[in-house]
Amino acid sequence: MSVNDEAVGQQTAATYDSAFLKACRREPVPHTPVWFMRQAGRSLPEYRKVRAGTAMLESCMMPELVTEITLQPVRRHGVDAAIYFSDIVVPLKAIGIDLDIKPGVGPVVEQPVRTRADLARLRDLTPEDVPYVTEAIGMLTRELGETPLIGFAGAPFTLASYLVEGGPSRNHEHTKAMMYGDPQLWADLVDRLAEITGAFLKVQIEAGASAVQLFDSWVGALAPADYRRSVMPASRKVFDAVSGYGVPRIHFGVGTGELLGLLGEAGADVVGVDWRVPLDEAARRVGPGRALQGNIDPAVLFASREAVEAKADDVLAAAAGLDGHIFNLGHGVLPTTDPDALTRLVEYVHMRTAS
């Protein structure tokens, strides 16, 4: 048995019966498991303290810091899963793409990818490119014990959008111009990104991650027909790349109400749902055989405790008939969220759903 095989085996044994992984497998749970997207981040004063003076991408390459930040919400909130602290552009940086994360803006690419010649810059990613990931996950799994660690990566469409636009975009005009105007170049681009993303997720799983989530932050900008034709093959390639590990695969995008069935069809075991579609309706759109994750509006956490609990009740009621449900927000924790509101929400969901 290799070191990587041993890590996967140990972590699977430690976390297999956790509420989170049981829900992913659509098995009975002792309570509805809870975790929050962006639970490790700017809403926590302890995060701001340890990150002070350290750039985002630099932080992602420091195993001790990554470990501390990933553990902070587990300690504070008592969530049922940790999510690996990183950024979706880390694998692109690791293969040599000249990019940076600018405060208040997001990822900015120095030279956008817009021609076939640009594809040569997207080389294969190897474990040697991201040794800090393997080291950090090894440290985390030892600390987390029976609490599962979720690995994550950006989906090919969202990564392609950053690369083609050169940064965040409201309309994705350059991205769509390539997708519609040069469909072969577009297909080759997202296929290369699928290979890079699949390799990045493999590194995380082999280091000990118990599940993985593929974030497609911008894919809600597409119509279903465009998604099926121009994006789903690449997303499916990512999920297929890690299918042999047997870990749950979660797929999430924002504004994807019309795409929910396709997100599952791409290969997800769990489909993340934003707050725009009730979970019972989401289940109808996704179809049987997949768990759902979500989906309270992150802004609700700014309301009174009674209002938050009422909204949580709505989510739990809509999820009552599901085979598998993981309670989460419909998007990431907002930076100015009161951390105590998150802690109370975890306690409330656990209390309301305890068997």
Side-chain angles (χ1 to χ4, degrees):
M1 177 181 288
S2 71
V3 173
N4 285 339
D5 289 340
E6 186 176 354
V8 173
Q10 289 174 349
Q11 183 64 359
T12 299
T15 63
Y16 187 82
D17 288 328
S18 64
F20 169 75
L21 289 181
K22 283 189 170 190
C24 289
R25 299 192 301 264
R26 295 177 291 115
E27 297 173 359
V29 292
H31 60 263
T32 297
V34 187
W35 73 277
F36 304 116
M37 290 179 283
R38 294 183 186 161
Q39 64 187 16
R42 292 170 292 175
S43 67
L44 299 180
E46 56 265 43
Y47 168 84
R48 296 192 294 271
K49 181 178 180 180
V50 298
R51 267 286 317 279
T54 307
M56 179 62 186
L57 280 175
E58 183 182 354
S59 299
C60 297
M61 299 173 188
M62 301 170 65
E64 294 83 1
L65 184 58
V66 168
T67 299
E68 169 60 22
I69 291 172
T70 303
L71 291 172
Q72 285 175 349
V74 179
R75 297 190 198 113
R76 179 186 273 263
H77 304 313
V79 287
D80 294 281
I83 184 160
Y84 182 70
F85 175 76
S86 188
D87 190 273
I88 64 171
V89 299
V90 163
L92 300 180
K93 185 72 171 180
I95 63 170
I97 298 299
D98 188 0
L99 58 82
D100 196 10
I101 299 175
K102 296 189 175 180
V105 178
V108 176
V109 180
E110 183 66 24
Q111 294 180 291
V113 173
R114 294 182 183 169
T115 69
R116 181 157 296 279
D118 291 329
L119 293 184
R121 291 153 50 199
L122 299 173
R123 66 168 177 82
D124 291 342
L125 181 138
T126 69
E128 290 71 30
D129 293 316
V130 288
Y132 43 86
V133 172
T134 299
E135 184 177 352
I137 291 180
M139 296 168 67
L140 277 164
T141 54
R142 288 191 291 273
E143 291 286 337
L144 286 166
E146 296 178 358
T147 301
L149 175 67
I150 305 167
F152 90 97
F157 176 81
T158 292
L159 293 180
S161 180
Y162 278 120
L163 286 171
V164 175
E165 301 292 339
S169 173
R170 185 178 298 273
N171 299 311
H172 310 281
E173 54 265 40
H174 294 293
T175 304
K176 291 184 176 182
M178 181 188 294
M179 188 173 70
Y180 298 137
D182 194 340
Q184 189 58 57
L185 175 59
W186 171 261
D188 292 344
L189 170 59
V190 292
D191 186 73
R192 289 292 298 117
L193 291 170
E195 292 178 1
I196 293 164
T197 300
F200 190 54
L201 290 178
K202 285 181 180 180
V203 169
Q204 295 174 65
I205 296 169
E206 291 183 2
S210 295
V212 290
Q213 176 157 309
L214 193 65
F215 284 85
D216 215 345
S217 308
W218 303 123
V219 78
L222 296 181
D226 291 332
Y227 178 87
R228 179 180 290 280
R229 178 181 60 251
S230 303
V231 175
M232 192 162 70
S235 295
R236 179 181 283 134
K237 184 171 184 174
V238 175
F239 286 124
D240 286 347
V242 298
S243 62
Y245 291 97
V247 303
R249 299 160 296 172
I250 309 169
H251 203 1
F252 174 75
V254 185
T256 52
E258 297 301 318
L259 304 178
L260 288 172
L262 295 173
L263 294 182
E265 192 177 332
D269 303 298
V270 183
V271 175
V273 185
D274 75 11
W275 66 92
R276 297 170 177 89
V277 180
L279 288 177
D280 49 358
E281 171 59 18
R284 187 190 68 78
R285 297 182 187 188
V286 171
R290 293 180 174 87
L292 296 186
Q293 179 175 277
N295 68 335
I296 196 169
D297 186 340
V300 168
L301 290 162
F302 292 82
S304 67
R305 180 172 184 165
E306 293 74 20
V308 173
E309 292 178 356
K311 285 295 187 181
D313 286 341
D314 290 343
V315 170
L316 293 172
L322 303 182
D323 287 338
H325 174 225
I326 300 149
F327 192 99
N328 207 315
L329 306 182
H331 197 197
V333 175
L334 297 171
T336 54
T337 303
D338 177 2
D340 290 342
L342 292 166
T343 304
R344 290 193 298 266
L345 181 55
V346 175
E347 293 171 348
Y348 184 74
V349 173
H350 285 172
M351 180 274 294
R352 285 280 287 109
T353 61
S355 58

